[in-house]
Amino acid sequence: MKKFLAILTVLILISACKTEPQIEEPIEISAEDLHASVDKVTEIMIHDIFSPPVASRIFTYPNIAAYEIVALHNDEYTSLVGQVTDLKPIPEPDSVSNINYDLSALVAHMELSKRLIFSEDRMETLRDSLYGVWEGKNPTVFKSSKNYGLQVAAHIGEWMNKDNYPQTRTMPKFTVDADNASRWQPTPPAYMDGIEPHWSKIRPFVIDSAAQFKPIPPPAFSMDESSDFYKELKEVYDVGKKIEEEGDQSAEIAIAKFWDCNPYVSVTRGHLMFATKKITPGAHWIGITKIAARKTDSDFDQTLYAYTKTSMAIADGFISCWDEKYRSNLIRPETLINQHIDDEWKPVLQTPPFPEYTSGHSVVSGAASTTLTSIFGDNFSFEDDTELPYGLPMRKFESFNKAAEEAAISRMYGGIHYRAAVEVGLKQGRNLGQFLVDKLKMKTDQRMASNSQ
């Protein structure tokens, strides 16, 4: 009897030790997960203080990596292979049975983003929090999807590393031509060197070359008061004085500050100088892309499509603009006004550290607004709350094009650009954006555009 009871006890204990089999749940990836990854990249770029051109590159490669995974499994989207310079087909997964493609796409996005920023630990914090949730729901699918995402990130990373960016890190600094009165000179308060003078050597994504949308030259330099150039210089000064008189009540100053987006603002207090941190112009338009995607209830794939297409337009816009900046090498209004008109005059905005023509905000805004219009439709009204974290109120726009026009003219209101740089730059960006829209065959745009009406 005792032997029987002992055996029975052992059987009961063995039975009790058996755990219920884990029920694996489906892993759902939403557009908000993608927004979170993009927002984290923006946050880190502000912290790490990346220049506007470099920031545009950081946005674009992770988007392309994720998009190519989506295009592999979703028939509504077409691969960018053959459309984007030198891009090769991504590897296909060994087995499709346990792959969640949107999860793989998000893994690739976070992994490639991590490689492109400095503060990797900040990206890892977001990544690890998501990994924990996904793995807890379905370990099998998570592992397979994660491994595939990392495989694609490695593939896109190899392509990325051949875009001449590493080579430009070792190229010489820009040499200031102090003997030529028309050439750019460093501006106060930090008198920084010209940033990214070799950016035109970066491989474009969609445009044929950096000079494909070379704009007309700026007005001929002349300090003759009857010349077109001097009239534009005087206009910047007069607008600045008017804004100064109106103070905080000025509509122009509100516009200028809203679109400032200068990550290089230096603040001097006593003997100390430090930088305030803001988003770049490209990051502002990436924020507008998020606003439009949310307004249209775009799903993960639709949102990724919008981010990818817009970020390529922004990136190529910077390549095109920087090509002209260091070709024309035009002096900034602040320098000439202080030398010839009013030595105490200061612009509303701090002058960025690179040549004047054309306006980067204008080019990028023209390219981004044209691309977003192709995705979400014309007359797409939205409330832009992108600058709320920086203490600036929301602004409302009737369309992406209206927003671009305001972004462009904000540079003259801010005292850092002549009118020609603004107007020609906006046209340069719009032409580039339309070329990209016409060339890229990524999907049927009408479906998302119809959602915005």
Side-chain angles (χ1 to χ4, degrees):
M1 183 65 178
K2 289 182 179 179
K3 186 176 181 181
F4 171 77
L5 290 175
I7 295 173
L8 181 61
T9 301
V10 171
L11 291 174
I12 291 172
L13 289 172
I14 293 174
S15 177
C17 289
K18 289 184 178 179
T19 57
E20 292 292 328
Q22 181 177 358
I23 300 175
E24 295 189 336
E25 303 176 38
I27 300 175
E28 296 181 0
I29 307 298
S30 71
E32 289 305 313
D33 294 320
L34 179 58
H35 292 318
S37 184
V38 173
D39 286 347
K40 179 58 68 172
V41 174
T42 301
E43 172 195 313
I44 295 170
M45 284 196 291
I46 294 168
H47 176 271
D48 291 346
I49 315 182
F50 284 102
S51 70
V54 175
S56 71
R57 179 177 182 268
I58 294 171
F59 278 123
T60 308
Y61 281 109
N63 286 335
I64 292 176
Y67 175 84
E68 285 299 289
I69 294 175
V70 166
L72 187 66
H73 84 100
N74 188 336
D75 292 338
E76 294 183 16
Y77 299 90
T78 303
S79 170
L80 292 169
V81 174
Q83 305 188 74
V84 170
T85 308
D86 297 338
L87 179 62
K88 304 300 181 185
I90 61 173
E92 295 193 10
D94 296 332
S95 173
V96 299
S97 58
N98 290 319
I99 297 290
N100 180 320
Y101 286 92
D102 287 350
L103 192 158
S104 296
L106 195 52
V107 166
H109 189 278
M110 292 188 292
E111 174 64 21
L112 215 50
S113 297
K114 185 170 72 73
R115 297 184 190 185
L116 285 160
I117 45 89
F118 299 144
S119 302
E120 296 182 10
D121 58 313
R122 291 173 175 249
M123 198 71 205
E124 289 169 352
T125 299
L126 172 66
R127 179 200 66 186
D128 292 346
S129 67
L130 293 174
Y131 278 9
V133 173
W134 298 334
E135 188 171 20
K137 287 187 174 182
N138 196 318
T140 303
V141 169
F142 167 72
K143 182 179 180 180
S144 299
S145 303
K146 172 191 170 185
N147 289 341
Y148 182 56
L150 294 176
Q151 185 181 6
V152 172
H155 174 86
I156 297 297
E158 290 181 7
W159 169 61
M160 174 184 74
N161 290 334
K162 297 175 182 177
D163 70 352
N164 296 325
Y165 178 79
Q167 288 78 4
T168 62
R169 301 308 89 191
T170 61
M171 291 178 181
K173 291 183 178 180
F174 179 67
T175 302
V176 176
D177 185 358
D179 296 330
N180 190 326
S182 71
R183 300 307 186 193
W184 177 81
Q185 299 176 29
T187 50
Y191 296 94
M192 295 175 61
D193 292 329
I195 65 164
E196 300 299 340
H198 307 288
W199 199 253
S200 63
K201 299 178 178 67
I202 299 295
R203 179 186 61 203
F205 289 94
V206 183
I207 60 175
D208 299 335
S209 71
Q212 182 178 357
F213 291 94
K214 177 182 176 181
I216 60 173
F221 178 83
S222 173
M223 295 307 292
D224 185 322
E225 294 185 7
S226 65
S227 69
D228 290 340
F229 181 86
Y230 187 88
K231 289 176 183 177
E232 289 202 1
L233 174 66
K234 188 63 164 50
E235 180 182 25
V236 175
Y237 175 73
D238 291 341
V239 168
K241 294 297 288 185
K242 173 179 177 293
I243 290 175
E244 183 181 340
E245 292 171 2
E246 294 178 356
D248 292 339
Q249 302 303 312
S250 168
E252 290 85 356
I253 199 171
I255 292 171
K257 289 183 175 180
F258 184 79
W259 293 100
D260 184 14
C261 304
N262 181 0
Y264 285 103
V265 175
S266 300
V267 179
T268 303
R269 291 181 182 171
H271 297 291
L272 298 176
M273 179 177 287
F274 58 92
T276 59
K277 298 180 179 182
K278 299 180 181 180
I279 59 174
T280 62
H284 192 133
W285 280 99
I286 290 295
I288 290 174
T289 305
K290 178 177 69 174
I291 292 168
R294 280 178 169 166
K295 183 177 179 180
T296 53
D297 293 323
S298 297
D299 62 22
F300 180 92
D301 292 1
Q302 293 169 333
T303 299
L304 178 58
Y305 160 69
Y307 275 136
T308 305
K309 193 173 183 180
T310 305
S311 63
M312 286 191 291
I314 292 169
D316 276 1
F318 273 113
I319 292 172
S320 175
C321 180
W322 251 243
D323 178 58
E324 179 57 37
K325 278 188 179 295
Y326 285 96
R327 178 188 299 110
S328 54
N329 190 15
L330 186 61
I331 195 166
R332 289 277 184 170
E334 180 176 13
T335 307
L336 289 178
I337 290 171
N338 288 162
Q339 289 175 348
H340 300 281
I341 301 176
D342 182 349
D343 61 4
E344 295 185 354
W345 183 88
K346 292 183 179 181
V348 171
L349 304 178
Q350 194 170 112
T351 303
F354 37 80
E356 190 272 344
Y357 188 84
T358 48
S359 157
H361 267 63
S362 303
V363 174
V364 168
S365 296
S369 61
T370 300
T371 305
L372 286 168
T373 298
S374 78
I375 298 169
F376 297 102
D378 203 357
N379 301 317
F380 184 100
S381 62
F382 63 97
E383 297 179 341
D384 187 355
D385 60 359
T386 308
E387 298 291 334
L388 283 178
Y390 311 99
L392 297 172
M394 178 176 62
R395 294 185 70 81
K396 297 181 180 180
F397 297 101
E398 297 175 1
S399 67
F400 301 115
N401 287 322
K402 291 292 185 183
E405 290 167 5
E406 184 178 283
I409 197 63
S410 76
R411 314 315 281 164
M412 196 181 79
Y413 294 160
I416 60 178
H417 276 294
Y418 312 107
R419 182 174 290 277
V422 167
E423 294 181 349
V424 176
L426 187 61
K427 181 179 180 181
Q428 179 184 355
R430 283 175 168 166
N431 289 342
L432 184 152
Q434 191 59 54
F435 173 82
L436 181 143
V437 168
D438 292 341
K439 182 175 180 179
L440 290 181
K441 306 303 178 186
M442 298 172 70
K443 68 177 293 297
T444 303
D445 293 336
Q446 284 76 5
R447 182 172 62 82
M448 289 184 72
S450 66
N451 288 344
S452 68
Q453 306 304 315

